[in-house]
Amino acid sequence: QVQLVESGGGLVQAGGSLRLSCAASGRTFSYDMGWYRQAPGKEREFVATIRGSWNGGSTFYADSVKGRVTISRDNAKNTVVLQMNSLKPEDTAIYYCNLRRGNVDYWGQGTQVTVSS
């Protein structure tokens, strides 16, 4: 069973940076992985995805975060990282790590990101 554990969330002032990490059980480089977020009272929304190595490893970003975040893999450590810069209050949410294997999505427990104005 795939297990995903997020870390790196916290409280940061607007304009600051955070580095979120997703640690996964087993090797994950073959699969698409990404980050989603959910703010109180809102639906979970896509933030960024990095495709599996078999599919080219391309990255994709939501328009709301383009230019401010970078998703990357550290295959040796089985981790996916989301570097977030120039944070805005509207980035406040619980951030979830996602892995897609076939038509099945796996999720971590989430890590809270709070951006103060």
Side-chain angles (χ1 to χ4, degrees), residues 1 3 19 35 38 41 44 50 64-65 73 91 96 116:
Q1 184 83 331
Q3 291 181 293
R19 187 177 180 88
W35 288 90
Q38 187 167 24
R44 188 171 298 186
I50 184 165
S64 60
V65 301
R73 291 183 188 267
D91 295 319
Y96 296 93
S116 62

Side-chain angles (χ1 to χ4, degrees), residues 5 7 15 21-23 41 44 46 52 64 88 107:
V5 180
S7 62
S21 180
C22 174
R44 188 171 298 186
F46 166 78
S64 60
K88 305 174 181 180
W107 300 94

Side-chain angles (χ1 to χ4, degrees), residues 25-83:
S25 60
R27 296 191 297 273
T28 61
F29 63 87
S30 296
Y31 307 107
D32 297 349
M33 295 187 68
W35 288 90
Y36 292 71
R37 66 188 182 187
Q38 187 167 24
K42 296 184 178 180
E43 297 180 350
R44 188 171 298 186
E45 66 176 358
F46 166 78
V47 176
T49 292
I50 184 165
R51 289 187 171 182
S53 59
W54 68 272
N55 203 22
S58 300
T59 58
F60 301 89
Y61 301 93
D63 288 340
S64 60
V65 301
K66 284 182 179 178
R68 301 190 296 118
V69 308
T70 302
I71 188 169
S72 61
R73 291 183 188 267
D74 185 339
N75 291 330
K77 296 182 178 180
N78 285 337
T79 61
V80 172
V81 170
L82 187 73
Q83 177 67 47

